[in-house]
Amino acid sequence: MSAKKITRRLLSVTAVVLIIAVLGGCWDKVELNAISIITGIGVDAIPDNPDLMNVTIQSANVKALSGPASGGGGGDGEAPFIINEEQSKSISEAITQIERRTSRSPFTHHNQIIVVGKDYCKNGIQSVVDTFLREDEMRVETSIVVADGTAREMLSVKTEIEKSASQWIPGMLASLNYNVGKVDVSVLDFASQILKPSGAAVIPLIKVEDTSLQKPMLKEKNAQQQEKKDEGEEKSGEEEKDEKKEAEEEKSEKKNGGEIETKTLSFVGFAVFKGPYFVGEMGVAEMKGYRWLNGDVTSTRVSLSVGSGTANVNVTNAKFKKKVRLDESGKLIADFSIIADAAVLESIGIDDTDIKRYTKVLTEVMSEQIKKEIEDCLEKAKELNADVFGFLNTLYEKHPKDYKRIEEKRDEVFKNMTLITDIKITIQDTGKLKKSILEKWWNDEH
Amino acid sequence: MSIDKSKITVTQFVFTIVCFIESSAVLSSFSVGISGKDSWFTMIMGYLVFLILVFVISQIMRRYPDKTLIEINNEVFGNVLGRIISVFYIWFFVTLTSLNLLDTQVFASISIMTKTPPIVLMATFMVICVWALRNGISVMTRYMTVIGLLAFAITVFAFIIAFQKFHLSNLLPPMQQKPIVYVQASHIVSTIPFGEIIVFLMLTPNVSSSSKKYGRYILIGTLLGVISMLLVAIRDIGVLGETIKYFTVPSLETQRVSSISKIFSRLEVLYTIIFTALMYSKIVVLLYAATAAIAQFFKLKTYKNISLLIAALCIVYTLNLYDSGISHGLSGMLVVPFLWSFIEYILPILTLCVILIKSKFKKEGTENDAVRVNGKRGNLSLGPSLGN
Amino acid sequence: MLFALMASAAICLLDLPSAIRTKEKREITIVSILSALVIILCFLQAFGVNLPKLMTLINEFFMWLGIYYKM
């Protein structure tokens, strides 16, 4: 082999080695045991200091998660997560400050959830939205929820099936998306919505609740406390001190990962935003109407009262049509139609001898009920002055010239809008029974 | 006469153009920041304006099929003026190489290698480009077909997985912005990336084609590229909606958001890989154009002897282009379209005009010469026959 | 600094010898001059000398002329 060929080969090999060394990303390597994986970020308001926020960071406790007990939970009560809190002007600053007292670098790429305390929302969530859209490490598709309480409390609870709130909440939202309709809102979804003409958006509202087992125990405890009050027992100063000390010890135990009470998290409605500002809530009752109006219903159960009887119907295959127009006087009119199928799941006390009449009655009552749910929800939205259904957006998309006419007074136009609903639901089947077997006992008093 | 004797096939040439255009799909934020959700429309408008350049290039190549741009300048404008104009083109090629290198480095630093020093990224990238360059144009363009097809396949796959988050309503209503927005965005698109096709005037002599229909090849290549760009634009608008105007790299955000349940998620790495491959294909062509142009300007025997030093110059130049990324972004939106229009459109049109005027005078001159020689019209005993 | 050294080494070990091997005086001269210029630039960059930002200057010139799109 000639000297030239050898030189060329050596140079090629050197170049390849250099390239592999660099392009393998070795320079940017991050060892797993050098990072603290952040799974949830929470933001709360500080009552005395509106310029600062209380940032709660939930990180995975790798030691507890990889413990001997499979299925986690921690045999010795060690929590599967670590909570760090910091008061700062921004989330990024809080993470930087937390870095000063941990042995690992915070790693936000796997953050599952952003929890914003309801009190914090009242001043607007600009900081949260901007940070998560702007920072490279934060992901824009992270789900965001509002805590009906504090974000700190929500991220600190242990949940029944999942190990932590940051696993529970995304799982619950995904399940609701699949079974009920779109409920999950990411930072990107929220930003897209508030940039549209209506400027309104919703974020799921989650509440920490006691588990179903705890509820009777808690009731008993509350009853005992009430009894003591009624008997007029005055606590001595010492007794009060003891109680306070007990409560504080319990709190610090929880903070240090001691035995944490298991709680449950419930989806209780939507927090309504106009731009980045919180304007109100929609509860469970209004939620149903919201889902209908947004055309998000994949399947849903409707409970009906028909005279003295009741029925439970499962509505599926819903198709929605929304048309929006302006009349000559500039009034917004929306034509909304639903065509769906239904199946009877339960029927008690409703005469079903004539199946045609039976289905007609059920259909009429169902249509009335859905219409009422829709109207109640719309009234609530008008009250909050937040077009969360996108009527103004639809007008802008389909009739931009008409929208420009009313752009300046769009809030007023939305408040005065008329909704015309047309609901056509066909009962496809009555379940496994053709008729109720309990007919002869309907009128019995017992 | 080309400075590189090796030949490339028409397919390689067309796919090189496809890769060249597709690489710019990922850097659409200059025009997207202006036109927002109408960027699909401005892309089409920009392409229509670009067709003027295709016509001009094809006419120039028809008359000088075996000459590169530098040689054409000397031929058309003479030695002195031709060399002055060539200096503009050389500066343009070197600047484009550096700008694209800067974009690649910035993208890599943001998305995957946040702690690696920029110089390391640029140097290793240029080592690959120079390695390909020194092996000749046929090696350079050998993988363009594969890269082009792979990029298109990934674009289609990305479109499919983004479908879950795609809302057609995000594209509505179209054309609601001020006319100047469309003018500006179309102008930007017609210069970045379409106008940059002018660099292929340094490669056309190497295309082994009997028909020499360069205009057709450029048209096919750019058409395939623009289809890819439109797919990307429509997907990004449908997923990101109103927020598309605000992101620096909208396509990356779309890829981050797209997933098929939890199984196929975090697919931005796919995008990063194909982006790097496409940027290689663009930068290697630009580097070749710059190196070959300088070599021809100085009448060197081969461009390979200056490949490394031009690469090193490009790296140093990249570090000294702008004082900040913000300045770069603003420049791309506000000033560069005018600057590039002069080099990409005005100079070639001027070249074509001079060629046409010269050929007209040459025709008349030859006719007069024939008359003077023979004393009679139509009696040709010397010179080429002009026909009766 | 490392880049400047590596670039200079690469130029001196690869480009210059190739040019010298052609045995053309013109070629060697031009390549040597260009190499020297590039090596000087690399070292100026390595030593932190504030080289002019060309595109920024051109930008400002065009803005002074008024040839740009208004924001």
Side-chain angles (χ1 to χ4, degrees):
Chain A
M1 220 186 274
S2 66
K4 191 181 172 185
K5 263 193 179 164
I6 294 170
T7 321
R8 270 186 106 178
R9 290 240 169 126
L10 269 170
L11 280 170
S12 307
V13 169
T14 316
V16 167
V17 168
L18 278 173
I19 287 162
I20 290 170
V22 174
L23 291 179
C26 299
W27 211 297
D28 286 68
K29 71 168 176 21
V30 175
E31 299 293 340
L32 263 178
N33 59 4
I35 55 170
S36 165
I37 300 171
I38 292 175
T39 50
I41 297 179
V43 180
D44 289 307
I46 299 171
D48 310 322
N49 198 339
D51 292 333
L52 295 180
M53 58 174 85
N54 191 50
V55 179
T56 309
I57 308 280
Q58 184 193 82
S59 325
N61 182 358
V62 181
K63 208 173 94 180
L65 286 169
S66 60
S70 63
D76 55 356
E78 207 177 333
F81 52 83
I82 301 164
I83 297 290
N84 277 299
E85 263 180 277
E86 193 62 51
Q87 293 187 356
S88 65
K89 283 191 180 154
S90 69
I91 296 171
S92 315
E93 197 187 315
I95 294 174
T96 314
Q97 283 168 2
I98 286 166
E99 264 182 322
R100 287 192 279 114
R101 49 171 205 266
T102 59
S103 59
R104 299 178 177 207
S105 319
F107 186 73
T108 49
H109 277 285
H110 289 279
N111 181 38
Q112 304 293 309
I113 194 80
I114 306 161
V115 185
V116 191
K118 204 155 94 174
D119 284 338
Y120 179 79
C121 291
K122 288 169 185 166
N123 296 327
I125 58 170
Q126 297 94 308
S127 178
V128 171
V129 173
D130 193 77
T131 305
F132 277 86
L133 287 178
R134 192 187 291 274
E135 264 216 46
D136 290 322
E137 275 204 17
M138 309 287 194
R139 300 182 75 88
V140 300
E141 73 272 22
T142 311
S143 299
I144 182 169
V145 298
V146 171
D148 191 358
T150 63
R152 191 205 175 277
E153 186 200 359
M154 189 165 287
L155 288 172
S156 306
V157 301
K158 215 166 88 171
T159 49
E160 283 177 310
I161 304 169
E162 310 295 344
K163 295 188 171 65
S164 62
S166 58
Q167 287 175 301
W168 172 283
I169 297 170
M172 175 177 65
L173 294 174
S175 164
L176 285 169
N177 278 352
Y178 183 72
N179 293 312
V180 165
K182 183 156 168 42
V183 153
D184 190 13
V185 172
S186 67
V187 181
L188 182 67
D189 291 337
F190 181 78
S192 299
Q193 283 300 111
I194 61 172
L195 285 172
K196 287 187 175 176
S198 67
V202 296
I203 293 179
L205 188 62
I206 312 274
K207 191 175 179 178
V208 177
E209 284 178 349
D210 298 310
T211 60
S212 43
L213 280 174
Q214 285 169 337
K215 277 179 186 158
M217 284 162 57
L218 204 65
K219 226 176 170 177
E220 210 186 302
K221 194 178 172 186
N222 286 341
Q224 282 175 358
Q225 282 180 350
Q226 190 61 39
E227 257 182 56
K228 274 190 184 168
K229 257 191 183 164
D230 290 341
E231 279 167 24
E233 261 182 74
E234 279 178 11
K235 290 183 204 163
S236 68
E238 271 192 43
E239 271 183 20
E240 265 191 49
K241 270 191 191 168
D242 284 340
E243 269 186 25
K244 266 192 182 164
K245 202 179 166 187
E246 250 184 63
E248 269 181 37
E249 271 176 15
E250 208 186 290
K251 211 178 169 185
S252 73
E253 242 191 65
K254 283 183 190 175
K255 201 177 176 183
N256 297 332
E259 202 171 308
I260 297 172
E261 261 185 275
T262 304
K263 299 272 186 183
T264 195
L265 301 169
S266 311
F267 170 62
V268 294
F270 287 115
V272 179
F273 286 79
K274 196 83 192 280
Y277 301 102
F278 173 72
V279 293
E281 288 173 37
M282 274 189 188
V284 174
E286 287 106 12
M287 215 168 65
K288 292 181 189 173
Y290 172 79
R291 285 195 293 107
W292 287 119
L293 273 172
N294 267 1
D296 275 341
V297 176
T298 33
S299 88
T300 188
R301 293 184 181 191
V302 183
S303 292
L304 307 171
S305 298
V306 182
S308 57
T310 57
N312 216 306
V313 177
N314 187 32
V315 180
T316 53
N317 296 333
K319 289 181 182 57
F320 304 89
K321 264 192 188 150
K322 197 193 303 183
K323 277 189 186 160
V324 165
R325 57 194 161 90
L326 276 186
D327 68 5
E328 297 84 30
S329 59
K331 188 176 172 137
L332 185 66
I333 300 169
D335 297 296
F336 184 69
S337 72
I338 305 174
I339 300 171
D341 296 333
V344 180
L345 301 174
E346 191 184 314
S347 174
I348 298 167
I350 306 169
D351 182 12
D352 55 2
T353 33
D354 180 356
I355 191 77
K356 270 190 179 166
R357 199 175 69 87
Y358 171 69
T359 51
K360 190 180 173 202
V361 161
L362 279 186
T363 309
E364 276 170 12
V365 171
M366 207 178 350
S367 301
E368 280 308 310
Q369 181 148 324
I370 293 172
K371 193 173 174 185
K372 188 170 182 314
E373 283 172 1
I374 289 171
E375 281 166 2
D376 287 347
C377 184
L378 182 62
E379 278 314 304
K380 182 72 185 184
K382 283 181 180 178
E383 190 190 303
L384 299 174
N385 198 13
D387 175 17
V388 295
F389 317 106
F391 291 121
L392 290 168
N393 298 340
T394 310
L395 183 71
Y396 174 66
E397 283 156 18
K398 301 275 164 65
H399 311 283
K401 285 190 181 136
D402 287 344
Y403 176 77
K404 281 202 168 75
R405 268 204 291 146
I406 55 122
E407 193 174 357
E408 307 269 295
K409 45 185 172 97
R410 57 183 184 266
D411 287 342
E412 206 186 298
V413 166
F414 170 67
K415 268 193 165 162
N416 297 326
M417 73 166 281
T418 307
L419 178 70
I420 303 166
T421 43
D422 177 25
I423 302 169
K424 285 192 185 85
I425 300 187
T426 316
I427 300 207
Q428 293 292 340
D429 72 88
T430 54
K432 289 191 289 209
L433 296 176
K434 284 187 279 205
K435 256 167 78 69
S436 175
I437 62 162
L438 304 165
E439 194 178 338
K440 63 178 179 179
W441 288 284
W442 281 345
N443 296 319
D444 275 5
E445 282 181 21
H446 62 279
Chain B
M1 180 72 145
S2 163
I3 199 154
D4 186 336
K5 306 279 186 293
S6 54
K7 292 289 184 191
I8 60 173
T9 63
V10 171
T11 315
Q12 281 174 322
F13 182 66
V14 167
F15 273 98
T16 307
I17 296 173
V18 171
C19 291
F20 197 91
I21 300 294
E22 272 183 346
S23 66
S24 305
V26 300
L27 290 171
S28 54
S29 61
F30 288 135
S31 64
V32 164
I34 309 284
S35 51
K37 49 189 191 176
D38 290 324
S39 43
W40 60 272
F41 174 73
T42 55
M43 226 169 255
I44 294 169
M45 289 290 109
Y47 186 71
L48 292 174
V49 170
F50 164 71
L51 292 176
I52 301 169
L53 184 64
V54 174
F55 171 74
V56 169
I57 290 176
S58 64
Q59 291 301 306
I60 294 172
M61 292 320 296
R62 212 159 60 89
R63 287 162 174 80
Y64 299 99
D66 297 320
K67 292 199 189 297
T68 64
L69 187 58
I70 305 298
E71 287 164 332
I72 292 168
N73 286 334
N74 287 345
E75 188 88 18
V76 171
F77 295 104
N79 262 333
V80 176
L81 190 59
R83 286 169 89 80
I84 293 169
I85 289 173
S86 296
V87 166
F88 278 112
Y89 279 116
I90 289 168
W91 172 80
F92 175 65
F93 296 152
V94 173
T95 307
L96 261 190
T97 312
S98 304
L99 282 168
N100 282 282
L101 187 61
L102 179 65
D103 290 332
T104 311
Q105 176 264 307
V106 165
F107 177 82
S109 294
I110 292 171
S111 60
I112 41 171
M113 294 183 176
T114 47
K115 300 212 170 30
T116 311
I119 193 97
V120 173
L121 291 168
M122 289 193 279
T124 40
F125 197 87
M126 284 308 246
V127 161
I128 305 212
C129 293
V130 169
W131 194 352
L133 197 69
R134 284 174 80 92
N135 282 307
I137 195 171
S138 64
V139 170
M140 232 171 70
T141 54
R142 189 171 293 165
Y143 301 103
M144 299 299 186
T145 315
V146 172
I147 294 172
L149 288 172
L150 202 60
F152 190 75
I154 288 176
T155 304
V156 171
F157 176 68
F159 192 93
I160 292 167
I161 58 165
F163 213 71
Q164 261 188 331
K165 306 253 185 309
F166 184 90
H167 302 287
L168 199 62
S169 56
N170 282 340
L171 286 140
L172 299 170
M175 258 72 89
Q176 294 300 309
Q177 302 179 75
K178 293 182 196 156
I180 189 68
V181 164
Y182 298 99
V183 169
Q184 186 179 352
S186 306
H187 189 185
I188 293 171
V189 172
S190 67
T191 51
I192 313 166
F194 294 126
E196 293 167 359
I197 293 294
I198 196 89
V199 307
F200 283 87
L201 280 173
M202 295 299 296
L203 271 84
T204 42
N206 296 81
V207 179
S208 62
S209 159
S210 49
S211 59
K212 307 282 181 193
K213 287 182 179 158
Y214 299 111
R216 188 178 292 187
Y217 306 149
I218 290 172
L219 203 62
I220 294 169
T222 49
L223 203 59
L224 291 172
V226 92
I227 289 169
S228 187
M229 279 178 78
L230 276 172
L231 263 178
V232 170
I234 290 169
R235 179 203 68 189
D236 290 348
I237 298 165
V239 171
L240 299 176
E242 301 284 340
T243 57
I244 193 171
K245 258 187 172 171
Y246 300 94
F247 287 115
T248 44
V249 189
S251 299
L252 183 65
E253 294 310 321
T254 312
Q255 291 279 58
R256 278 183 167 169
V257 161
S258 311
S259 65
I260 302 175
S261 73
K262 297 241 186 241
I263 306 165
F264 293 111
S265 62
R266 292 169 192 267
L267 290 168
E268 66 266 25
V269 68
L270 244 159
Y271 170 85
T272 314
I273 293 167
I274 204 62
F275 172 76
T276 314
L278 287 170
M279 287 312 286
Y280 153 78
S281 47
K282 188 170 185 183
I283 291 172
V284 83
V285 168
L286 290 167
L287 188 64
Y288 170 80
T291 317
I294 293 171
Q296 282 197 323
F297 184 82
F298 288 111
K299 295 194 171 73
L300 299 176
K301 266 197 167 170
T302 171
Y303 66 90
K304 294 178 190 181
N305 294 342
I306 55 168
S307 53
L308 268 167
L309 64 98
I310 300 299
L313 173 69
C314 286
I315 294 173
V316 175
Y317 191 20
T318 305
L319 296 167
N320 294 288
L321 275 168
Y322 292 100
D323 39 20
S324 70
I326 299 165
S327 177
H328 179 194
L330 278 175
S331 166
M333 287 196 286
L334 308 178
V335 174
V336 163
F338 293 102
L339 180 60
W340 274 192
S341 296
F342 171 70
I343 295 169
E344 292 168 359
Y345 287 86
I346 294 173
L347 281 182
I349 290 171
L350 192 67
T351 309
L352 182 64
C353 289
V354 173
I355 291 170
L356 291 171
I357 292 168
K358 267 185 148 179
S359 66
K360 194 180 175 198
F361 278 126
K362 210 178 184 178
K363 239 190 207 175
E364 283 171 11
T366 323
E367 269 182 26
N368 290 338
D369 281 344
V371 168
R372 259 190 284 119
V373 162
N374 298 298
K376 284 185 216 175
R377 262 186 202 280
N379 190 358
L380 304 165
S381 52
L382 286 170
S385 164
L386 291 172
N388 290 319
Chain C
M1 188 54 145
L2 187 64
F3 163 71
L5 289 168
M6 284 175 70
S8 318
I11 293 168
C12 296
L13 288 174
L14 287 166
D15 278 355
L16 275 174
S18 317
I20 291 165
R21 254 180 261 127
T22 60
K23 293 193 174 95
E24 298 251 329
K25 198 176 167 191
R26 186 197 152 76
E27 188 116 352
I28 297 167
T29 320
I30 290 170
V31 174
S32 310
I33 292 169
L34 287 173
S35 305
L37 277 168
V38 172
I39 290 170
I40 289 167
L41 269 173
C42 289
F43 276 98
L44 283 175
Q45 178 68 35
F47 286 125
V49 171
N50 211 5
L51 296 167
K53 307 282 185 262
L54 196 57
M55 286 301 284
T56 307
L57 291 170
I58 292 172
N59 250 12
E60 279 165 18
F61 175 66
F62 268 68
M63 286 188 152
W64 178 75
L65 286 173
I67 308 173
Y68 67 102
Y69 285 108
K70 312 272 183 291
M71 283 284 286

PDB file of all heavy atoms in Angstrom, chain A residues 49 82 86 107 234 307 363 419 440:
ATOM      1  N   ASN A  49     -48.485  38.560  49.097  1.00  0.00           N
ATOM      2  CA  ASN A  49     -47.505  39.093  48.162  1.00  0.00           C
ATOM      3  C   ASN A  49     -47.900  38.769  46.720  1.00  0.00           C
ATOM      4  O   ASN A  49     -47.539  37.722  46.197  1.00  0.00           O
ATOM      5  CB  ASN A  49     -46.120  38.498  48.480  1.00  0.00           C
ATOM      6  CG  ASN A  49     -45.000  39.304  47.857  1.00  0.00           C
ATOM      7  OD1 ASN A  49     -45.212  40.061  46.903  1.00  0.00           O
ATOM      8  ND2 ASN A  49     -43.802  39.140  48.391  1.00  0.00           N
ATOM      9  N   ILE A  82     -41.292  13.433  45.514  1.00  0.00           N
ATOM     10  CA  ILE A  82     -40.688  14.420  46.414  1.00  0.00           C
ATOM     11  C   ILE A  82     -41.275  15.776  46.054  1.00  0.00           C
ATOM     12  O   ILE A  82     -41.412  16.103  44.874  1.00  0.00           O
ATOM     13  CB  ILE A  82     -39.153  14.458  46.236  1.00  0.00           C
ATOM     14  CG1 ILE A  82     -38.555  13.089  46.528  1.00  0.00           C
ATOM     15  CG2 ILE A  82     -38.517  15.517  47.117  1.00  0.00           C
ATOM     16  CD1 ILE A  82     -37.145  12.918  46.010  1.00  0.00           C
ATOM     17  N   GLU A  86     -41.004  26.625  46.358  1.00  0.00           N
ATOM     18  CA  GLU A  86     -40.191  27.835  46.337  1.00  0.00           C
ATOM     19  C   GLU A  86     -41.084  29.007  46.005  1.00  0.00           C
ATOM     20  O   GLU A  86     -41.998  28.883  45.184  1.00  0.00           O
ATOM     21  CB  GLU A  86     -39.101  27.667  45.265  1.00  0.00           C
ATOM     22  CG  GLU A  86     -37.992  28.675  45.306  1.00  0.00           C
ATOM     23  CD  GLU A  86     -37.188  28.644  46.581  1.00  0.00           C
ATOM     24  OE1 GLU A  86     -36.729  27.558  46.991  1.00  0.00           O
ATOM     25  OE2 GLU A  86     -37.027  29.718  47.180  1.00  0.00           O
ATOM     26  N   PHE A 107     -35.064  18.041  35.710  1.00  0.00           N
ATOM     27  CA  PHE A 107     -35.227  17.666  34.293  1.00  0.00           C
ATOM     28  C   PHE A 107     -36.704  17.765  33.978  1.00  0.00           C
ATOM     29  O   PHE A 107     -37.512  16.962  34.417  1.00  0.00           O
ATOM     30  CB  PHE A 107     -34.702  16.233  34.126  1.00  0.00           C
ATOM     31  CG  PHE A 107     -34.663  15.760  32.701  1.00  0.00           C
ATOM     32  CD1 PHE A 107     -33.705  16.243  31.823  1.00  0.00           C
ATOM     33  CD2 PHE A 107     -35.566  14.812  32.232  1.00  0.00           C
ATOM     34  CE1 PHE A 107     -33.647  15.803  30.516  1.00  0.00           C
ATOM     35  CE2 PHE A 107     -35.516  14.367  30.927  1.00  0.00           C
ATOM     36  CZ  PHE A 107     -34.557  14.853  30.057  1.00  0.00           C
ATOM     37  N   GLU A 234     -64.857  23.991  76.988  1.00  0.00           N
ATOM     38  CA  GLU A 234     -63.872  24.977  76.565  1.00  0.00           C
ATOM     39  C   GLU A 234     -62.501  24.336  76.636  1.00  0.00           C
ATOM     40  O   GLU A 234     -62.143  23.717  77.640  1.00  0.00           O
ATOM     41  CB  GLU A 234     -63.939  26.174  77.495  1.00  0.00           C
ATOM     42  CG  GLU A 234     -65.091  27.076  77.095  1.00  0.00           C
ATOM     43  CD  GLU A 234     -65.198  28.243  78.030  1.00  0.00           C
ATOM     44  OE1 GLU A 234     -64.257  28.447  78.840  1.00  0.00           O
ATOM     45  OE2 GLU A 234     -66.210  28.943  77.971  1.00  0.00           O
ATOM     46  N   GLY A 307     -92.694  11.563  34.174  1.00  0.00           N
ATOM     47  CA  GLY A 307     -93.813  11.447  35.122  1.00  0.00           C
ATOM     48  C   GLY A 307     -93.290  10.972  36.459  1.00  0.00           C
ATOM     49  O   GLY A 307     -92.379  11.567  37.038  1.00  0.00           O
ATOM     50  N   THR A 363     -87.950   9.896  23.837  1.00  0.00           N
ATOM     51  CA  THR A 363     -87.238  10.788  22.908  1.00  0.00           C
ATOM     52  C   THR A 363     -87.590  12.251  23.205  1.00  0.00           C
ATOM     53  O   THR A 363     -86.699  13.114  23.264  1.00  0.00           O
ATOM     54  CB  THR A 363     -87.605  10.467  21.447  1.00  0.00           C
ATOM     55  OG1 THR A 363     -87.439   9.079  21.238  1.00  0.00           O
ATOM     56  CG2 THR A 363     -86.733  11.230  20.477  1.00  0.00           C
ATOM     57  N   LEU A 419     -79.988  31.068  20.294  1.00  0.00           N
ATOM     58  CA  LEU A 419     -79.588  29.717  19.887  1.00  0.00           C
ATOM     59  C   LEU A 419     -80.843  28.927  19.532  1.00  0.00           C
ATOM     60  O   LEU A 419     -81.770  28.832  20.332  1.00  0.00           O
ATOM     61  CB  LEU A 419     -78.840  29.035  21.030  1.00  0.00           C
ATOM     62  CG  LEU A 419     -78.404  27.598  20.780  1.00  0.00           C
ATOM     63  CD1 LEU A 419     -77.292  27.555  19.752  1.00  0.00           C
ATOM     64  CD2 LEU A 419     -77.932  26.944  22.071  1.00  0.00           C
ATOM     65  N   LYS A 440     -95.651  -4.816  37.518  1.00  0.00           N
ATOM     66  CA  LYS A 440     -96.716  -4.994  38.506  1.00  0.00           C
ATOM     67  C   LYS A 440     -96.383  -4.383  39.861  1.00  0.00           C
ATOM     68  O   LYS A 440     -97.247  -4.206  40.705  1.00  0.00           O
ATOM     69  CB  LYS A 440     -97.093  -6.460  38.663  1.00  0.00           C
ATOM     70  CG  LYS A 440     -96.028  -7.359  39.170  1.00  0.00           C
ATOM     71  CD  LYS A 440     -96.595  -8.769  39.308  1.00  0.00           C
ATOM     72  CE  LYS A 440     -95.518  -9.707  39.801  1.00  0.00           C
ATOM     73  NZ  LYS A 440     -96.024 -11.040  39.968  1.00  0.00           N
TER      74      LYS A 440
END
